[in-house]
Amino acid sequence: MSETILIVDDEKEIADLIEVYLQNDGYKVYKFYNGVDALGFAENNSVDLAILDVMLPDIDGFHICRKIREKYYYPIIMLTAKVEDADKIMGLTIGADDYITKPFNPLEVTARVKAQLRRYVKYNGTGEQEKEINEFDFNGLVINKDNHKCSLYGKDITLTPIEFSTLWYLCEHRGKVVPSEELYESVWGEKYLDSNNTVMAHIARLREKLGEPSRNPKFIKTVWGVGYTIEK
């Protein structure tokens, strides 16, 4: 295991603690206590996953997340001392893959890191591939599981691993309504809790990338009080 992890947190004790746990699991860790230096590193070096604190002394974690997403699609985990849903939705909407609220158990962080990296490897074709092509092609939308490519009317759409697996799961269940709980537990691999807006935020992000109007989407439709569906 030699994946490179970027940690950005101005609370030195927290950054150092996460570093120790990740290094003990064999990861290569680069740690920064401010956003400017971290962003400079991210823009000029290979990174496999980033852990970004929202509140930093110079530029916030949201800004770093946006800048990373302009070029890269590796997993991003946000750290925050806040618990407001609006902050979580903000992070997920701009491209974060996961959210952890302080205080936390460092073992939880390492578990989330491993889960995100497994998903990233699986959906970016860096792991073992099955020989057969796994692809959906309908109404101008093409999504291929083997090469992690998605296109709409011939134009490529770049998706993060979470966005890809969310869309893929809905395509796999075309014609059926997938409850939010099922979608979250299948894609994120965690127990769904009440008032979890993670799925909603990622669906909104997917619709934006597909150029869908929120009130009358062509592909991902909302069944209020139940979940989401892609009609046959």
Side-chain angles (χ1 to χ4, degrees):
M1 183 184 301
S2 59
E3 290 94 338
T4 297
I5 311 297
L6 170 64
I7 301 174
V8 191
D9 197 317
D10 64 323
E11 295 185 67
K12 186 177 185 299
E13 295 79 6
I14 291 178
D16 293 350
L17 182 63
I18 297 175
E19 177 187 34
V20 168
Y21 273 79
L22 291 177
Q23 287 180 338
N24 286 341
D25 275 345
Y27 295 106
K28 182 184 298 183
V29 177
Y30 290 90
K31 175 182 59 180
F32 296 89
Y33 304 127
N34 68 80
V36 172
D37 290 343
L39 187 55
F41 179 87
E43 291 178 338
N44 296 287
N45 294 274
S46 176
V47 175
D48 295 298
L49 182 145
I51 301 174
L52 310 177
D53 186 26
V54 171
M55 301 299 294
L56 295 167
D58 42 11
I59 56 177
D60 63 35
F62 295 141
H63 177 79
I64 300 174
C65 182
R66 289 190 189 95
K67 296 298 292 183
I68 289 175
R69 282 290 175 255
E70 290 178 2
K71 295 174 59 178
Y72 305 109
Y73 293 90
Y74 52 76
I76 296 176
I77 299 175
M78 305 296 293
L79 299 178
T80 181
K82 298 181 178 180
V83 296
E84 289 86 350
D85 286 341
D87 291 309
K88 294 182 179 180
I89 293 173
M90 166 67 81
L92 296 171
T93 300
I94 63 177
D97 297 282
D98 203 354
Y99 226 99
I100 299 177
T101 303
K102 300 176 183 180
F104 51 77
N105 186 324
L107 291 175
E108 176 189 3
V109 178
T110 57
R112 299 282 187 95
V113 166
K114 291 176 182 178
Q116 290 296 331
L117 286 173
R118 282 197 301 269
R119 187 177 293 114
Y120 182 62
V121 169
K122 178 179 180 181
Y123 288 108
N124 280 276
T126 54
E128 293 187 9
Q129 303 259 340
E130 296 181 0
K131 292 183 179 180
E132 69 271 13
I133 295 176
N134 296 316
E135 182 177 89
F136 290 102
D137 184 350
F138 61 94
N139 298 333
L141 177 67
V142 179
I143 180 169
N144 188 297
K145 190 175 182 180
D146 285 343
N147 57 25
H148 191 257
K149 288 187 176 181
C150 180
S151 65
L152 182 61
Y153 308 129
K155 182 179 180 180
D156 289 342
I157 299 174
T158 305
L159 303 177
T160 66
I162 285 287
E163 291 165 353
F164 185 92
S165 53
T166 298
L167 182 58
W168 181 264
Y169 193 86
L170 290 172
C171 287
E172 277 188 315
H173 297 81
R174 277 185 69 197
K176 298 180 181 179
V177 179
V178 179
S180 298
E181 294 88 341
E182 177 185 335
L183 188 57
Y184 182 83
E185 293 179 0
S186 298
V187 173
W188 277 261
E190 300 174 4
K191 184 67 177 177
Y192 182 90
L193 301 176
D194 291 339
S195 301
N196 189 326
N197 292 309
T198 302
V199 172
M200 181 179 67
H202 278 81
I203 292 295
R205 180 77 171 175
L206 272 172
R207 285 173 173 162
E208 179 183 343
K209 290 190 174 184
L210 293 172
E212 294 206 281
S214 58
R215 292 189 177 183
N216 187 29
K218 177 181 179 181
F219 292 102
I220 305 175
K221 299 183 180 297
T222 301
V223 180
W224 295 107
V226 183
Y228 302 93
T229 184
I230 293 180
E231 298 176 346
K232 284 190 176 181

